[in-house]
Amino acid sequence: MFRLIKNELVKVFSKISTYLMLGIILIFVVGMSLLMKKSYQYSGHQYIYDRENIQYEIEYLESSKPQGYELELNRFKYMKDSGKEWRTDSWQLDALEEAFLTWQSPLVYDGDKLSEEQKKQYQSNFDKEMAPVLQDDWNAYATQQLKKIEEGADSDGVKAAKGYYYNYMIEQKIQPDSDDWREAVARRVAANGTELEELKEKEAKGDYVSEDNKEQLQNALALSEYRLEHNLSTYMDENGNTDNEFWNSFKEGRVVLTFVSVVLIVLAGGCVANEFSTGTIKFLLVNPVKRGKIIISKYLTLILLSIALIFFLYGFTALVDLIVQKTPDLGMPLLKAAGGVVSVESPWIYLLGQYLLGGVNLLAMTTMAFMISSLLRNSAVAIGIGVAALMGGNVLVMILAQFGQDWGRYVLFANLDLGGISQGYGMFPNQTSAFAIGTILVYMVIFLVTAYDAFTRSEV
């Protein structure tokens, strides 16, 4: 068997077309990495409300008068009177919007229901809250907000959660809008913690609370707290999402597996059919080797090539991205949270698993082309059907799913995305990984038995 596999490998690598296809794979990998690098070069534009821009907004609101425009109009007039420039992503503008919503909204929409004393009190509270904002004094504003939270009617747990962001920023001496990653994470801790505490209070009162929603908040809170505790500016989540350029590009490199599948379909479509079309099958059968061993050796050769190409693509993509992308952060962890407990894994192992899962589609299409090659002895037909199935199989299944044809879940193409199905993104309701794997195995057995029977029974 080993000698037969070796002979098949010699045949494959004796063809110039094999090296041309491998070269195209390399070009695809480099091109993908460069495209990802270019996409990261885009940076969002920070809009600044200067006096001219503010006046434009005022004139627009006064002329168009959309529903509820009064509060926004007053806010822009206040911005104009302040004489300041307001940046869209600044803490000052966020503070202004919150103050207007809290203290000015009642004056604008319910002013006729308020007494003069109440109006003065609302305006006084607004002016007091805006004083440190106009002076660009973040620490004074944060201290003021903490006092406001403490004087509120919330429970101690909600107060602690709401005040977490301000306390953390003050303790760590972090200025907002300083591009410090900890600021955004601290905000998430405060938001998730507040929502979780409110759900607990609701549950304590006997009201219905979704356990899934509660667990999601617990896990999100645990992840954010873990990052702050261990000073992790970047990480990968359990679905492979990250904001690191290297790891994102590395993950997206899996799309090249589609072209690798085409290469394997071409090799599978010709490995049996070409023996008959060129007449070399007679010389092959002259050897004292059973036909069963010959067909098995050909398929095992394709399996070995498939596995080798997947590992090669994984390694070469990582190498190219290391050269092309910035900030690789090779030690970045993959964080998972379950039941509020965080576990740490390796993104290298995770992405290798994703590449191998992507290889399931490759292997299935290769086996289909191999069967057709053995059954029809026509490489062009085998390659054509294989490539058409690779490109159009998902489209067919999507159409079936769109029209509610539930039997489509039994079609091979509906089960090839094992990664998506394991995360609950199957095309049909309640698809499971176990069902998908079982369906794929059934099809693979049918393909291989058909190929074996066609080759061993065929006339030469």
Side-chain angles (χ1 to χ4, degrees):
M1 183 66 72
F2 177 78
R3 183 173 60 84
L4 290 173
I5 294 174
K6 182 180 177 181
N7 288 339
E8 290 298 323
L9 289 173
V10 169
K11 290 179 184 178
V12 170
F13 288 100
S14 64
K15 300 175 182 177
I16 297 178
S17 59
T18 301
Y19 295 97
L20 288 175
M21 289 187 289
L22 291 175
I24 294 175
I25 291 175
L26 301 184
I27 293 172
F28 267 69
V29 172
V30 175
M32 185 69 189
S33 184
L34 291 174
L35 283 174
M36 292 296 295
K37 181 179 178 64
K38 187 175 181 180
S39 69
Y40 288 125
Q41 292 175 350
Y42 171 78
S43 59
H45 176 67
Q46 295 179 349
Y47 189 77
I48 296 178
Y49 284 111
D50 57 17
R51 192 173 185 83
E52 182 180 347
N53 292 331
I54 293 173
Q55 183 60 37
Y56 172 81
E57 296 290 345
I58 292 173
E59 292 174 358
Y60 169 76
L61 290 171
E62 288 178 335
S63 61
S64 61
K65 295 183 179 181
Q67 185 177 5
Y69 79 99
E70 295 90 350
L71 184 65
E72 191 172 6
L73 177 61
N74 284 358
R75 179 166 61 85
F76 277 112
K77 287 181 177 180
Y78 182 87
M79 292 165 64
K80 179 181 178 181
D81 294 339
S82 71
K84 289 171 55 66
E85 291 186 348
W86 301 80
R87 202 179 67 193
T88 52
D89 60 348
S90 65
W91 72 269
Q92 291 95 334
L93 187 58
D94 289 340
L96 174 65
E97 291 174 347
E98 183 178 347
F100 254 84
L101 189 62
T102 304
W103 305 117
Q104 291 296 308
S105 181
L107 294 175
V108 172
Y109 298 115
D110 298 313
D112 56 341
K113 301 177 184 178
L114 300 174
S115 66
E116 288 301 319
E117 186 63 28
Q118 288 174 319
K119 291 179 182 179
K120 289 181 180 179
Q121 187 61 51
Y122 273 111
Q123 187 61 44
S124 174
N125 290 339
F126 174 78
D127 293 336
K128 182 180 178 181
E129 190 163 316
M130 287 304 300
V133 178
L134 295 175
Q135 296 169 7
D136 294 332
D137 191 341
W138 157 253
N139 287 333
Y141 175 76
T143 302
Q144 185 184 76
Q145 291 300 108
L146 286 171
K147 184 179 179 181
K148 178 181 172 182
I149 292 170
E150 188 61 34
E151 293 174 349
D154 294 318
S155 66
D156 291 341
V158 174
K159 287 179 179 179
K162 285 184 175 180
Y164 179 90
Y165 167 72
Y166 299 107
N167 281 318
Y168 184 85
M169 295 287 284
I170 292 173
E171 291 171 3
Q172 300 297 322
K173 298 180 180 179
I174 302 172
Q175 288 296 312
D177 309 330
S178 60
D179 293 330
D180 192 315
W181 64 271
R182 293 175 295 175
E183 179 185 2
V185 179
R187 280 188 183 276
R188 284 198 289 272
V189 171
N192 292 332
T194 301
E195 191 173 351
L196 185 59
E197 288 296 327
E198 290 174 346
L199 282 182
K200 289 179 179 178
E201 291 182 1
K202 187 178 178 181
E203 189 176 38
K205 293 177 181 178
D207 296 332
Y208 170 76
V209 172
S210 170
E211 287 300 321
D212 288 341
N213 188 25
K214 185 178 175 182
E215 184 177 2
Q216 287 176 2
L217 285 171
Q218 288 176 332
N219 292 338
L221 179 60
L223 280 173
S224 296
E225 289 177 336
Y226 186 93
R227 289 184 63 194
L228 292 176
E229 181 182 351
H230 294 82
N231 197 33
L232 296 175
S233 60
T234 58
Y235 79 107
M236 181 180 289
D237 68 17
E238 59 185 343
N239 295 321
N241 300 316
T242 177
D243 57 2
N244 182 271
E245 297 178 11
F246 166 76
W247 289 103
N248 257 333
S249 183
F250 189 10
K251 181 183 73 171
E252 296 303 323
R254 291 176 301 165
V255 301
V256 182
L257 280 170
T258 300
F259 185 76
V260 176
S261 298
V262 174
V263 172
L264 265 298
I265 287 172
V266 171
L267 295 177
C271 71
V272 177
N274 287 343
E275 299 283 6
F276 287 94
S277 62
T278 59
T280 54
I281 186 65
K282 296 178 180 180
F283 300 102
L284 190 60
L285 296 179
V286 167
N287 296 310
V289 180
K290 293 183 179 180
R291 289 191 178 193
K293 279 192 174 182
I294 294 175
I295 191 68
I296 291 173
S297 67
K298 286 181 176 293
Y299 184 69
L300 289 178
T301 302
L302 291 173
I303 296 295
L304 290 174
L305 285 173
S306 299
I307 295 173
L309 282 174
I310 292 171
F311 276 95
F312 172 77
L313 179 64
Y314 175 84
F316 187 70
T317 301
L319 177 62
V320 171
D321 286 330
L322 280 172
I323 297 172
V324 175
Q325 306 299 338
K326 295 180 179 178
T327 60
D329 195 4
L330 302 183
M332 185 186 77
L334 183 148
L335 302 181
K336 292 183 177 181
V341 179
V342 178
S343 60
V344 183
E345 299 181 9
S346 169
W348 292 99
I349 295 175
Y350 170 80
L351 286 183
L352 177 59
Q354 293 300 305
Y355 273 72
L356 290 173
L357 284 177
V360 172
N361 191 358
L362 178 154
L363 186 60
M365 294 299 98
T366 299
T367 307
M368 178 189 290
F370 180 74
M371 175 197 69
I372 297 171
S373 178
S374 178
L375 186 63
L376 302 181
R377 305 181 192 178
N378 189 311
S379 60
V381 173
I383 295 170
I385 294 176
V387 172
L390 176 67
M391 300 302 178
N394 280 342
V395 176
L396 171 63
V397 174
M398 287 175 63
I399 293 173
L400 293 175
Q402 186 71 27
F403 285 94
Q405 302 299 313
D406 194 64
W407 58 268
R409 68 174 65 245
Y410 298 102
V411 176
L412 173 64
F413 311 108
N415 298 279
L416 294 177
D417 183 15
L418 291 178
I421 292 173
S422 65
Q423 295 173 12
Y425 300 133
M427 293 187 183
F428 294 89
N430 303 318
Q431 273 188 288
T432 64
S433 298
F435 177 83
I437 292 171
T439 303
I440 293 170
L441 289 176
V442 169
Y443 275 95
M444 295 285 283
V445 169
I446 293 172
F447 291 158
L448 291 175
V449 170
T450 302
Y452 184 90
D453 182 70
F455 186 82
T456 54
R457 292 174 177 269
S458 60
E459 297 284 340
V460 178

